[in-house]
Amino acid sequence: MRVPLSWLREYVDLPATETGRDVQAKLISAGLEVETVEQLGHDLKGPLVVGQVLTIEELEGFKKPIRFCTVDVGQANGTGEPQEIVCGARNFAVGDKVVVVLPGAVLPGNFAIAARKTYGKTSHGMICSGDELGMGDDGSHGIIVLPQETEVGKDAIELLELVDEVLDIAVTANRGDCLSIRGVARETAIAYGLPLRDPALLDVPGPNAFGYPVQVSDPVGCDRFTARTVTGLSPEARSPIWLQRRLQKVGMRPISLAVDVTNYVMMEVGQPLHAYDRTLVQGTIGVRRAAEGEKLVTLDGVERTLHTEDLVITDERGPIGLAGVMGGANTEIADHAESEGTTDVVIEAAHFDAVSIARTARRHKLSSEASKRFERGVDPQASSAAAQRTVDLLTLLAGGTAEAGVTEVIAPSAPHTIAVPADHPDKVAGVVYGRETVVRRLQEIGCDVYGQDELIVTVPSWRPDLGEGNDLAEEVIRLEGYENLPSTLPKPPSGRGLTHRQRLHRRVGRALAGAGYVEAPNYPFVGEQVFDQLGLDADDPARRVVRLTNPLNDEEPALRTSLLPGLLAALRRNDGRGSHDLALFETGLVFLPREEQGVAGQLPVDRRPTAEEIAAIDAVLPEQPRHVAAVLAGAREQAGWWGKGRPADWADAVEAARAVAAEAGAELIVRKGQYGPWHPGRCAELVVVADGTERVVGHAGELHPRVLKALGLPARTSAMELDLDVLEQVGDDTPRAPGISTFPVATQDVALVVDAYVPHADVEAALREGAGELLEAIRLFDVYENAEQLGDGRKSLAYALRFRAGDRTLTVDEASAARDAAVALAGERTGAVLRG
């Protein structure tokens, strides 16, 4: 809502020294969001005067039409001689009154005016358009042509009200009253403690039997309809300058007198109005719901197919307007420029159901100034005053006559009252205001208040958003000043900190960050086509997704079952922007639908839900385990004077998984696997033992080339994903101090030849079990394949075994015996033999 300060001063006697910035601060303190204060004409400097065109000479030989004019500007130029001006506009003629800027003036945008030679003539000034003066579009798209009665030589800056301040207010959905000068003036008066001159306080004649006939068939959709008739309007009458300028300042374009007056009163009082050409309305005006399939051409020239929920205005022919949204073209007011302009009008001032208007506007994708007000709440008591104000302006400006007939169709209703304890705002704010302050603040916003300890509050008609005691408490608090509320930090109970799950989450993040990974959180939404790109089988459980009823993005309507789609998209985006050496990770929830679908119940809002109620909600929600994933591409170690560096590969992804498992205190078994997006020869299956049973908790390795091509990823991109919740369940992250032995270590190396398909993890597990308690550590340090020496399909695995006893120095025989036992068990289980 744009509010000119000059218009606001008509209803509130603000101190002359108050600027737009001062008013902005006051209104923000009162809870209104004043985004900007626009300074109109602050960089405008005269002389800018009214002139009359005396002669026009058409200049030939140029690419566009050019006119050489002489203009009478009175004594504004100091000589009284006609001013010679070159102009390219065509919408004025000899005798017209125009706005002339003389040399020495400065127009908006720091455009200095001086005499200059152009098109073979010297132009001493300029004839101005609205855009050049910062006025906006007046509908003419050309030079400003003033009424003939305008005095030549008059200061145009004052005449056109070019210097002003305009407050731009972002009105929230519950404050429809502030979509009017009246509503903002009321808030300003309260903020300054000044009286309000309410523009809706008019003497309005009562309804009688002589008004235009109206029949309301849906009193729920339209609970009030006022109709007034004005006849004998002058078709040539134009909106005066002051009215046009006010409309332009609030962001509306002047159209014609009748339309401008209805728009003006809407902005002033907040009541949307509509004027019908009486000669085009046939019979009784009706209000009803539309029939399915009915057609209506609205004022924007679009034919609309109506819905049975749409509320329409009708006459004997059918719909003539979409109630509360836009009028119909078949009763449109004719422009004053037409040869046969409108002379008789019927004025509609009605109150429509907010929900109905909002649905209609959205259904037809037709948002208008009227619909924006109705769907936020319009004062139903203001309709008769708005109609009277419109009648007064039309009779004043167009010489019309107001007919004595007044039509008012009103559905019975009672004022809304709220019972609230006098100390309720105190309890809500934690501040003692006292009954006197509470009553005073509620009365300032227009409430009638009775009672002592228990207040009975009658809500004013212009505040439909006040529905309960908390709304009244909010009014008291905002008017007393949010900035005056004390800041009190909550005192948490002692002894509570992060949960075990939260601590593990943080440790995992720190471990991966310390290993050079950057955390990249992503939205949990995916499109189902990504599962095809990842190469998942048709029956893969990951394809079963939870779909959103109202997704933010139609291309991503489902919740993720894996972290990889989001991470890989982040990697692709960063690679495309020039960052090629990447290591990203994310910890987050995935969403797995339950086998049996249920419907969640509604939790209470007046008390804390019980444990049973919360458990019932959890039982129908999707399972939401926490996963951790990492992706790598490019160089893992940069090249430099210290060495050649190395690229990231599948082993780095496996090592990231090991680091996560170590933080959880879980023993991770790494063995060859094959799954979805990973390369079948470079994929590790990650397994833990839970309750004596092996359980796959994730995969790591290099992604398949087909996946890289489908997703547009760099070559040799690697990835890892783990179920962090399962690691937490099987792990024991209790800190343990390492045992330090004073006795020396005995090291034995062993090289075993096995079939190429035998996993290293199986060989290592057999060696570890066979070596017994003396084995302190085992490490694979070499893998060798050579068909000539080892045979086809064979490989050599070399391990370093470290033996140590806690109570003695091991002999060579003891260490060798332990090694031989380890080799024997490995041979029994995996077919391994010592390399000769």
Side-chain angles (χ1 to χ4, degrees):
M1 176 68 191
R2 291 170 56 84
V3 180
L5 189 60
S6 59
W7 198 350
L8 192 64
R9 289 182 183 275
E10 282 198 7
Y11 310 123
V12 184
D13 289 326
L14 295 172
T17 57
E18 287 294 284
T19 65
R21 298 289 185 190
D22 300 328
V23 178
Q24 178 188 31
K26 285 283 189 180
L27 292 180
I28 289 176
S29 178
L32 295 185
E33 187 179 345
V34 185
E35 293 186 328
T36 59
V37 178
E38 185 178 350
Q39 307 288 334
L40 299 183
H42 71 283
D43 54 353
L44 177 64
K45 177 183 175 183
L48 189 72
V49 299
V50 175
Q52 184 171 25
V53 180
L54 301 178
T55 65
I56 298 177
E57 177 187 350
E58 300 289 345
L59 301 182
E60 305 293 339
F62 299 103
K63 293 182 180 179
K64 62 179 181 178
I66 298 297
R67 311 168 97 186
F68 180 66
C69 311
T70 58
V71 185
D72 179 12
V73 294
Q75 296 299 318
N77 57 4
T79 64
E81 296 294 325
Q83 200 79 3
E84 296 180 341
I85 299 174
V86 174
C87 182
R90 314 289 297 176
N91 67 314
F92 64 95
V94 173
D96 282 346
K97 301 289 182 65
V98 294
V99 177
V100 179
V101 57
L102 300 178
V106 179
L107 295 184
N110 199 29
F111 180 38
I113 302 299
R116 65 189 184 95
K117 190 169 184 179
T118 179
Y119 297 104
K121 300 284 186 178
T122 300
S123 181
H124 300 273
M126 188 169 70
I127 302 175
C128 298
S129 67
D131 286 337
E132 291 165 339
L133 298 179
M135 295 170 55
D137 181 20
D138 62 355
S140 66
H141 304 290
I143 294 301
I144 301 171
V145 179
L146 301 172
Q148 280 299 316
E149 61 270 19
T150 310
E151 179 185 352
V152 172
K154 184 178 179 63
D155 183 2
I157 295 178
E158 179 182 350
L159 174 69
L160 300 177
E161 301 177 15
L162 296 178
V163 179
D164 203 349
E165 295 180 276
V166 179
L167 285 70
D168 193 351
I169 304 175
V171 179
T172 55
N174 66 320
R175 291 304 304 273
D177 60 305
C178 289
L179 285 173
S180 66
I181 304 296
R182 179 196 185 200
V184 177
R186 182 181 293 109
E187 292 295 319
T188 305
I190 295 172
Y192 279 91
L194 297 171
L196 169 70
R197 288 188 292 274
D198 191 342
L201 291 180
L202 300 175
D203 291 331
V204 180
N208 53 51
F210 310 108
Y212 198 94
V214 173
Q215 181 179 359
V216 177
S217 302
D218 189 339
V220 175
C222 176
D223 58 5
R224 183 180 291 262
F225 195 106
T226 301
R228 300 289 299 276
T229 304
V230 180
T231 60
L233 299 177
S234 171
E236 293 80 20
R238 296 177 55 187
S239 300
I241 293 174
W242 64 267
L243 193 150
Q244 294 186 45
R245 288 297 295 132
R246 287 194 170 178
L247 289 178
Q248 288 174 331
K249 289 177 185 179
V250 298
M252 303 190 77
R253 181 173 65 86
I255 298 174
S256 64
L257 178 59
V259 176
D260 292 349
V261 167
T262 58
N263 286 337
Y264 177 85
V265 175
M266 176 181 67
M267 303 306 296
E268 181 182 56
V269 180
Q271 167 68 53
L273 302 109
H274 190 70
Y276 301 94
D277 189 327
R278 183 176 179 178
T279 61
L280 301 178
V281 179
Q282 298 180 12
T284 301
I285 291 178
V287 183
R288 62 169 172 83
R289 298 289 174 176
E292 186 65 38
E294 274 190 303
K295 305 287 186 179
L296 171 67
V297 179
T298 47
L299 289 173
D300 57 358
V302 177
E303 183 180 65
R304 303 184 184 276
T305 302
L306 304 180
H307 188 272
T308 53
E309 290 186 5
D310 292 335
L311 200 64
V312 293
I313 311 298
T314 65
D315 64 4
E316 292 179 351
R317 297 165 296 176
I320 60 172
L322 203 54
V325 181
M326 185 174 286
N330 53 356
T331 57
E332 182 179 5
I333 297 291
D335 190 6
H336 62 79
E338 302 285 343
S339 58
E340 296 182 2
T342 298
T343 58
D344 301 340
V345 297
V346 178
I347 300 163
E348 166 206 309
H351 184 263
F352 301 110
D353 177 63
V355 174
S356 176
I357 300 305
R359 288 177 175 173
T360 295
R362 283 156 181 74
R363 186 180 300 115
H364 294 281
K365 299 180 180 179
L366 183 61
S367 179
S368 63
E369 293 291 339
S371 68
K372 284 191 290 188
R373 285 162 175 77
F374 278 123
E375 64 189 40
R376 286 167 173 78
V378 169
D379 181 5
Q381 303 291 337
S383 58
S384 56
Q388 182 63 45
R389 177 73 164 138
T390 305
V391 169
D392 292 343
L393 287 173
L394 286 176
T395 55
L396 174 67
L397 301 176
T401 302
E403 289 193 351
V406 177
T407 302
E408 280 196 10
V409 180
I410 303 174
S413 63
H416 179 53
T417 59
I418 303 172
V420 60
D423 62 348
H424 182 63
D426 301 5
K427 294 179 180 179
V428 173
V431 176
V432 178
Y433 293 123
R435 178 188 179 280
E436 182 180 345
T437 299
V438 171
V439 172
R440 175 173 57 85
R441 288 302 190 182
L442 293 179
Q443 288 175 339
E444 285 178 346
I445 64 174
C447 296
D448 291 330
V449 186
Y450 303 95
Q452 292 298 318
D453 294 337
E454 185 81 9
L455 302 180
I456 305 300
V457 182
T458 302
V459 175
S461 59
W462 56 82
R463 290 300 302 274
D465 59 305
L466 303 181
E468 59 177 20
N470 286 333
D471 298 328
L472 300 179
E474 183 182 4
E475 291 300 296
V476 174
I477 295 168
R478 76 173 181 88
L479 294 178
E480 284 295 306
Y482 290 120
E483 68 275 11
N484 296 323
L485 292 176
S487 297
T488 305
L489 294 176
K491 297 180 180 179
S494 60
R496 294 186 182 181
L498 298 176
T499 65
H500 181 269
R501 189 187 195 200
Q502 290 169 331
R503 290 196 298 270
L504 174 60
H505 179 202
R506 292 194 177 188
R507 289 203 311 272
V508 167
R510 285 195 291 266
L512 291 175
Y517 291 82
V518 176
E519 187 170 13
N522 295 283
Y523 288 118
F525 311 117
V526 295
E528 295 182 62
Q529 72 279 357
V530 75
F531 300 127
D532 296 327
Q533 295 170 332
L534 290 176
L536 299 185
D537 294 335
D539 59 349
D540 194 297
R543 286 183 176 270
R544 293 186 63 244
V545 295
V546 177
R547 293 178 178 83
L548 300 173
T549 303
N550 187 22
L552 295 178
N553 183 352
D554 291 337
E555 296 181 359
E556 296 180 335
L559 292 174
R560 66 190 178 190
T561 56
S562 167
L563 301 182
L564 288 183
L567 267 182
L568 293 174
L571 185 140
R572 178 181 65 246
R573 186 163 51 251
N574 283 275
D575 181 73
R577 294 175 179 175
S579 298
H580 303 301
D581 302 326
L582 297 163
L584 308 178
F585 83 94
E586 179 181 7
T587 58
L589 302 180
V590 298
F591 305 85
L592 309 176
R594 299 182 185 273
E595 293 296 334
E596 296 184 5
Q597 299 294 326
V599 178
Q602 188 171 0
L603 292 178
V605 296
D606 57 345
R607 60 176 173 81
R608 178 183 174 83
T610 64
E612 292 76 13
E613 290 171 331
I614 296 176
I617 293 290
D618 288 338
V620 298
L621 292 177
E623 295 181 20
Q624 301 176 51
R626 182 175 292 277
H627 282 201
V628 57
V631 294
L632 307 95
R636 186 66 177 135
E637 294 178 3
Q638 295 289 339
W641 57 266
W642 53 85
K644 296 181 179 179
R646 69 174 183 85
D649 60 16
W650 62 269
D652 294 300
V654 174
E655 188 58 32
R658 292 185 188 275
V660 171
E663 292 296 330
E667 183 177 351
L668 195 66
I669 301 173
V670 181
R671 62 191 183 200
K672 183 178 179 181
Q674 183 172 346
Y675 177 69
W678 281 277
H679 192 295
R682 297 171 189 151
C683 174
E685 187 177 70
L686 309 175
V687 180
V688 296
V689 178
D691 299 327
T693 304
E694 289 188 349
R695 182 172 176 181
V696 177
V697 293
H699 294 82
E702 183 180 314
L703 296 180
H704 198 289
R706 285 198 300 267
V707 173
L708 301 181
K709 182 178 180 181
L711 295 175
L713 298 172
R716 312 302 291 271
T717 297
S718 300
M720 171 278 293
E721 184 167 12
L722 282 170
D723 189 326
L724 197 55
D725 282 356
V726 176
L727 291 179
E728 180 188 6
Q729 294 168 12
V730 303
D732 181 8
D733 57 358
T734 303
R736 290 184 176 85
I740 301 175
S741 175
T742 59
F743 297 97
V745 66
T747 302
Q748 296 272 358
D749 292 345
V750 58
L752 302 177
V753 178
V754 296
D755 290 332
Y757 63 82
V758 175
H760 139 70
D762 293 349
V763 178
E764 181 180 313
L767 289 173
R768 189 182 298 276
E769 182 179 344
E773 297 181 353
L774 295 180
L775 181 66
E776 180 183 76
I778 182 171
R779 180 175 62 88
L780 175 68
F781 66 86
D782 184 51
V783 178
Y784 177 70
E785 295 183 12
N786 189 310
E788 293 182 1
Q789 297 184 19
L790 304 177
D792 291 336
R794 305 280 283 175
K795 64 182 177 181
S796 171
L797 303 176
Y799 293 91
L801 307 179
R802 291 168 56 89
F803 299 98
R804 196 194 311 256
D807 57 351
R808 67 188 186 280
T809 298
L810 293 178
T811 65
V812 174
D813 292 340
E814 288 177 312
S816 297
R819 181 202 63 185
D820 294 342
V823 171
L825 187 58
E828 179 183 335
R829 291 187 177 177
T830 66
V833 296
L834 282 171
R835 181 178 172 188

